[in-house]
Amino acid sequence: MAPDRGRLIRTSGPESGSDDGDPQARDEASSMARLRRSRSDAGRFLAEHAASGQNFTARGVLVGCAVGIVICFSNMYFGLQTGWVSGMTMPASLIGFAFFKSLGSRLDGPFTPVENVLVQTVAGAVGTMPLGSGFVGVVPAIEYLLKPGEGGPLQLSLWRLVVWSLGLCFFGVFFAVPLRREVIIREKLKFPSGTATALMIGVLHGSQKGAEDDGRSDEESRLLGGDEGGVGQDASVRSLADTDQPPESGTNEMSGWRSKVRLLVISFAISGSYTLVTYFVPVLRKLPILGVPLATKWLWSLNPAPAYIGQGIIMGPATTLHMFLGAVVGWGILSPLAKTKGWAPGAVEDWENGSKGWIVWVSLAIMLADSIVSLAWLALKPVVKRAAPYVEEASRRGYTALAGSPGADDASASIAQQLKEVDDMPDVDAPPEHLIGNRTVCIGLVVSILFCIVCIHITFGTIIPLYATITAVLMALLLSIMGVRALGETDLNPVSGISKLTQLFFALLIPSRNKHGVLINLIAGAVSESGALQAGDMLQDLKTGHLLGASPRAQFYGQLIGSAVGAVASAFIYRLYTGVYEVPGEMFQVPTGFVWVFTARLVTGDCLPVMAREFAAGAAGLFAIATAARIIGAGKRWHPFIPGGIAVAVGMYNVPSFTLARTIGGLGNWYWCAHLGREETPVIVLASGLILGEGVVSIVNLVLASLSVPHL
């Protein structure tokens, strides 16, 4: 697919190379000259920045690992509670900048934008490993939710958890490298979060000029060339571009980053203080705002934790309102119905016999329907795009063109020739010596796949057949291509849908009579989820680096180091939390663990509760239509009013206390950005501080709980 080349050539008449006075010819020549010059400038920009010694530094890696471990603690905490995990690349770049800026003259060299890219790359790789290694879903399902007849529960020692985690963390990174040239260099997919992070770093360091200010991509030109934001930009990118222009002086630059850091610190302190108070007064996590009966019997309470309000701010109003819709339907309608009809006779909060477990089947059906339709469109979309020109050409056959004016044919030929010259121009990329070599990728991919297979065998022994492990890895690579494209276009990596699709496939591959069928199904899904997540994160970071001129090779090695550190750290952090708190329990309900194991049971033929099958089938059909409508209506005014299947399902399987707090945050985002018309950057920084505050101070609560410090 040819990349968008911009709108530099605008001719309507013939080229007349012999007539120097022809204004059209002069315009054409001028356009071509500007294009070649901009390409040359962009190539020079990438060459200069990629050659900078600051691309890969020990201090950058160490700070990135330190920031990443903080994010890792936060993601593990919230992941075990609700399944929510975030890479937090923007706050990582802000924290890294603030740290090095505070050292000032004591640094050996300046802290540059490309070094900041390294910091956020490493931090993101470390911070997302709780999800990448399955510690917020699959591993709790294996250790605590499997039944004896399914080969569980299977307790894994710490060293086996480390081996498992290390096995999953590399092959997706290697596989992302060959995808880079297609999705970033040729097609120039937006990767909105990566683009927003690049702009944040550019603003912090006082520059927005970048590699792709060449007229070929409107969105990237506005970002890096300083144009005002316009239609098509991600909200956070647009708000930054509209307001945070490069400072005119060092004083303004200093005040800009200091104000952001101050806001981050204040919100961190507020959220951390509240988290510490809730240890001694746990009732603050379940406020009966709708009355005590609804709170005690039907679980309608509010957890006003600032962190969950911050999550809602980041999710935005549309997503949080769709989640609220899921809570209303699930907990306000289906749960009482299942309870009163006797379909779920147990206590409401019982996952096995209560309505809490009953509505999970409905939410699971919605997720599966949404995932299948979305992934099917992702698979067909490139085919449709490539077929469109041929269909258009075929539709024109049989018609005779009207005779044009003299010279019209020459003009068309001139334009066609210039367009061909544009297409033949090489895409701007980093110098070859700063790219990851094909030999490194090929050897690394093969070795990392073999390493993954060996690690899974060490962790689970002969329970998992060799052919199943190999198939899971190959499916992970195939499906990660769709995940990467979705991430580049929409900023959403459908790792949940990818894992569910893998589980469906493995239900056909593994015989139902296999007593370990559910366990094998879980592991296969975890492998595919990890591969898609790692590939998506790597390309998101590479997009940031490309816009700022960072060396792809330096980022690649930074990602590998961060993934390894995150794999080990997340195993230790997981065991810390599960060693102190009951799982599943009051603090950590591990809802995604139940979703994983319920999916495995569903696709392997387990019986559903009474009437769950009928309601699940109806919900699946309804949201298959809704998802198709959202695909067709992308960009239209009515699109936000069609509920997203994943958001509705999350609102169903999480208890209302979390969803209500997130909805408050989403509405706060709407009030600030849409109603008041203010830029989004401050609220994103505020939300990041709120999330990190609870995530970090939860470590203090962990220590208090391990010491059996009493509650008030």
Side-chain angles (χ1 to χ4, degrees):
M1 175 180 173
D4 178 14
R5 301 296 183 179
R7 297 184 293 272
L8 292 178
I9 302 174
R10 301 191 183 279
T11 61
S12 56
E15 180 181 16
S16 180
S18 60
D19 186 0
D20 294 338
D22 188 344
Q24 293 174 341
R26 287 200 306 270
D27 289 344
E28 292 171 8
S30 176
S31 296
M32 293 300 295
R34 284 198 304 271
L35 180 56
R36 291 190 178 95
R37 189 164 54 250
S38 62
R39 292 290 181 86
S40 177
D41 292 342
R44 188 161 49 251
F45 173 88
L46 284 171
E48 291 173 356
H49 285 72
S52 170
Q54 304 298 98
N55 269 285
F56 192 86
T57 62
R59 68 185 190 184
V61 171
L62 291 175
V63 171
C65 288
V67 175
I69 289 175
V70 172
I71 297 173
C72 190
F73 266 102
S74 178
N75 280 335
M76 187 71 73
Y77 175 80
F78 293 114
L80 291 173
Q81 281 192 340
T82 66
W84 189 85
V85 169
S86 173
M88 291 198 174
T89 54
M90 287 180 68
S93 64
L94 178 58
I95 293 170
F97 181 85
F99 174 79
F100 283 107
K101 205 69 170 171
S102 65
L103 295 180
S105 59
R106 286 170 286 183
L107 293 175
D108 293 336
F111 182 61
T112 62
V114 294
E115 191 173 10
N116 203 336
V117 169
L118 174 66
V119 170
Q120 66 87 28
T121 298
V122 175
V126 176
T128 55
M129 283 311 296
L131 177 61
S133 298
F135 288 121
V136 301
V138 170
V139 175
I142 292 172
E143 288 201 316
Y144 302 105
L145 306 181
L146 284 181
K147 299 175 182 178
E150 298 167 337
L154 188 64
Q155 281 296 124
L156 301 175
S157 62
L158 179 60
W159 75 269
R160 288 185 186 275
L161 290 177
V162 172
V163 170
W164 155 264
S165 187
L166 285 171
L168 296 181
C169 73
F170 295 121
F171 70 91
V173 178
F174 281 98
F175 187 68
V177 175
L179 300 179
R180 173 183 175 271
R181 180 162 184 81
E182 178 63 25
V183 299
I184 293 178
I185 305 302
R186 286 184 54 79
E187 297 185 38
K188 298 177 180 59
L189 297 186
K190 292 180 180 178
F191 289 94
S193 288
T195 302
T197 303
L199 182 53
M200 167 72 85
I201 293 173
V203 168
L204 290 174
H205 292 266
S207 174
Q208 283 180 296
K209 188 70 176 175
E212 293 192 4
D213 185 19
D214 59 3
R216 295 179 302 165
S217 170
D218 291 340
E219 182 257 339
E220 287 160 7
S221 294
R222 282 194 296 271
L223 169 65
L224 297 168
D227 287 356
E228 295 296 321
V231 177
Q233 284 180 286
D234 179 66
S236 57
V237 179
R238 181 170 60 252
S239 63
L240 280 167
D242 287 343
T243 57
D244 285 46
Q245 296 299 325
E248 296 292 334
S249 66
T251 302
N252 290 337
E253 177 187 348
M254 191 70 71
S255 62
W257 76 263
R258 285 191 185 279
S259 64
K260 292 181 176 65
V261 172
R262 188 181 304 112
L263 180 59
L264 185 73
V265 171
I266 292 173
S267 58
F268 181 98
I270 293 172
S271 181
S273 300
Y274 175 86
T275 304
L276 186 60
V277 170
T278 58
Y279 176 84
F280 297 100
V281 190
V283 71
L284 291 176
R285 294 187 176 275
K286 292 183 177 181
L287 299 182
I289 59 170
L290 299 178
V292 175
L294 280 176
T296 54
K297 184 175 182 179
W298 301 109
L299 308 185
W300 275 94
S301 60
L302 170 67
N303 181 353
Y308 285 102
I309 295 174
Q311 291 177 14
I313 291 173
I314 291 177
M315 292 175 180
T319 299
T320 53
L321 287 175
H322 295 165
M323 291 170 61
F324 179 71
L325 174 63
V328 170
V329 173
W331 295 93
I333 299 175
L334 295 181
S335 176
L337 181 64
K339 178 69 174 177
T340 55
K341 291 289 188 179
W343 305 334
V348 171
E349 64 272 15
D350 187 354
W351 284 99
E352 293 294 332
N353 301 310
S355 57
K356 185 178 187 178
W358 192 91
I359 62 176
V360 165
W361 294 104
V362 180
S363 69
L364 180 58
I366 293 173
M367 292 178 68
L368 287 171
D370 183 280
S371 301
I372 291 172
V373 174
S374 298
L375 292 175
W377 169 242
L378 285 172
L380 292 174
K381 188 176 179 180
V383 178
V384 173
K385 281 188 173 182
R386 291 180 184 275
Y390 297 101
V391 173
E392 184 179 355
E393 177 66 23
S395 66
R396 292 176 179 173
R397 291 179 181 176
Y399 293 91
T400 303
L402 296 175
S405 58
D409 292 340
D410 292 338
S412 300
S414 172
I415 295 172
Q417 177 61 30
Q418 292 186 60
L419 288 174
K420 185 178 185 304
E421 290 180 19
V422 172
D423 283 334
D424 290 341
M425 288 181 180
D427 293 297
V428 179
D429 200 355
E433 62 270 21
H434 294 288
L435 298 175
I436 305 100
N438 293 332
R439 181 179 179 185
T440 301
V441 173
C442 293
I443 295 175
L445 183 60
V446 172
V447 171
S448 62
I449 290 174
L450 293 175
F451 182 64
C452 176
I453 294 171
V454 170
C455 287
I456 291 176
H457 180 76
I458 292 173
T459 305
F460 297 101
T462 57
I463 294 176
I464 312 300
L466 179 62
Y467 74 90
T469 306
I470 296 173
T471 303
V473 174
L474 295 179
M475 281 200 70
L477 299 180
L478 177 64
L479 294 175
S480 66
I481 297 175
M482 292 189 289
V484 162
R485 296 195 65 84
L487 182 65
E489 294 175 359
T490 68
D491 208 30
L492 295 174
N493 192 346
V495 293
S496 177
I498 286 171
S499 63
K500 299 299 176 286
L501 194 61
T502 303
Q503 288 184 275
L504 283 171
F505 178 81
F506 265 75
L508 303 175
L509 182 66
I510 303 298
S512 58
R513 63 180 179 273
N514 190 321
K515 65 172 293 187
H516 297 295
V518 173
L519 177 59
I520 295 171
N521 195 278
L522 290 173
I523 293 170
V527 172
S528 65
E529 181 179 66
S530 180
L533 178 71
Q534 294 292 330
D537 284 352
M538 179 79 265
L539 285 165
Q540 190 88 269
D541 292 334
L542 286 172
K543 177 69 174 184
T544 302
H546 181 64
L547 294 173
L548 293 169
S551 167
R553 186 173 63 181
Q555 283 189 269
F556 170 72
Y557 288 116
Q559 183 86 11
L560 288 178
I561 294 171
S563 296
V565 172
V568 176
S570 59
F572 278 89
I573 295 170
Y574 169 79
R575 190 52 78 206
L576 276 175
Y577 280 122
T578 57
V580 173
Y581 294 101
E582 179 186 3
V583 177
E586 184 78 11
M587 178 63 72
F588 298 128
Q589 301 181 23
V590 290
T592 50
F594 282 98
V595 170
W596 272 96
V597 77
F598 278 27
T599 303
R601 289 169 183 166
L602 173 65
V603 299
T604 54
D606 197 12
C607 294
L608 273 66
V610 179
M611 291 302 293
R613 185 184 303 275
E614 291 79 0
F615 277 85
L622 178 63
F623 275 89
I625 296 172
T627 303
R630 285 178 62 83
I631 292 171
I632 295 171
K636 293 183 171 60
R637 180 175 297 181
W638 50 266
H639 179 267
F641 297 98
I642 304 296
I646 298 298
V648 171
V650 170
M652 279 190 180
Y653 71 68
N654 276 315
V655 291
S657 59
F658 299 122
T659 303
L660 291 177
R662 286 169 169 169
T663 304
I664 292 171
L667 292 175
N669 180 301
W670 170 84
Y671 180 79
W672 179 266
C673 297
H675 183 70
L676 297 181
R678 308 288 293 275
E679 57 119 348
E680 196 179 23
T681 310
V683 292
I684 296 298
V685 174
L686 171 71
S688 301
L690 296 177
I691 295 166
L692 290 174
E694 180 163 346
V696 172
V697 178
S698 69
I699 304 170
V700 178
N701 288 5
L702 174 71
V703 174
L704 295 175
S706 65
L707 297 176
S708 301
V709 176
H711 305 295
L712 297 180

